[in-house]
Amino acid sequence: MRFNPVEPSRRCLDAHGRETLISALHCITQTGYGNPGWVRATVVEALCEVLGENIHWRDAGGARLQAMHNFDLSEAWDDAMVG
């Protein structure tokens, strides 16, 4: 199944604004060697939710990206699916 970015992006944009959506996408695409395959609606929406509620994280720039580079999306996904 391919990711259709339009609807989740629109929801995130409407709910949290442009900067939050861009920051969420950066958390995926600019860390973990690009995290191929992880630009998924549920991941983008979850990051938008967290970053929208924690503006200081959204605005942390390089520190946010460094933290996300050390975050294992695959492990988090597996944990979420289990329980």
Side-chain angles (χ1 to χ4, degrees):
M1 183 163 99
R2 296 184 61 82
F3 173 66
N4 178 349
V6 175
E7 196 55 39
S9 296
R10 179 170 286 128
R11 284 193 302 266
C12 290
L13 183 63
D14 292 345
H16 302 288
R18 180 179 184 272
E19 292 303 315
T20 299
L21 175 57
I22 290 170
S23 294
L25 291 170
H26 284 174
C27 283
I28 300 168
T29 62
Q30 293 186 2
T31 63
Y33 307 105
N35 289 306
W38 286 105
V39 180
R40 300 177 182 183
T42 50
V43 175
V44 172
E45 289 175 330
L47 285 167
C48 282
E49 187 71 26
V50 169
L51 295 173
E53 292 178 5
N54 298 278
I55 300 301
H56 60 284
W57 291 351
R58 183 197 73 192
D59 295 342
R64 179 193 68 248
L65 293 178
Q66 183 59 44
M68 285 302 297
H69 185 68
N70 296 322
F71 184 78
D72 188 335
L73 283 171
S74 182
E75 182 179 330
W77 182 267
D78 290 345
D79 290 348
M81 294 298 104
V82 170

